[in-house]
Amino acid sequence: MTQTTMDDDEQLRRLRWQCRRGMLELDHLFSRFLELGYADLTPADRLLFTELLREQDQDLHNLLISRSELPEARYRELIEQIRAVASESGG
């Protein structure tokens, strides 16, 4: 196993932990996205995803599930990708 592969594995472990939220709906949504959509993100979008995970659960719920207006335009495309993966996966 190369150092890059080990670093990637460690990053995914950290992200899996960060995707565990206080709301079951968010847990499911983020876990499915990490499993099915994260690998397709650019390095910049992966960083943005990590930043998104720092938001409060209620704010994330409003953005992802209730579909409230996005306070920051920089998240718009990523939020749409997460929603698309969730709808494709039956979630």
Side-chain angles (χ1 to χ4, degrees), residues 19 21-31 52 56-70 78-80 82-84 86-87 91:
C19 285
R21 311 303 293 199
M23 296 178 153
L24 184 59
E25 298 93 343
L26 292 176
D27 283 356
H28 178 73
L29 191 65
F30 282 132
S31 294
L52 181 67
Q56 297 294 316
D57 284 356
Q58 191 61 45
D59 294 336
L60 291 170
H61 183 273
N62 289 339
L63 293 173
L64 292 161
I65 298 169
S66 299
R67 296 177 183 253
S68 66
E69 288 296 313
L70 295 174
L78 179 60
I79 294 289
E80 291 305 318
I82 293 169
R83 287 176 181 161
S87 65

Side-chain angles (χ1 to χ4, degrees), residues 15-21 26-27 30-31 34 49 53:
L15 285 171
R16 278 189 194 97
W17 181 254
Q18 291 173 342
C19 285
R20 297 186 69 200
R21 311 303 293 199
L26 292 176
D27 283 356
F30 282 132
S31 294
L34 193 59
F49 180 70
L53 291 175

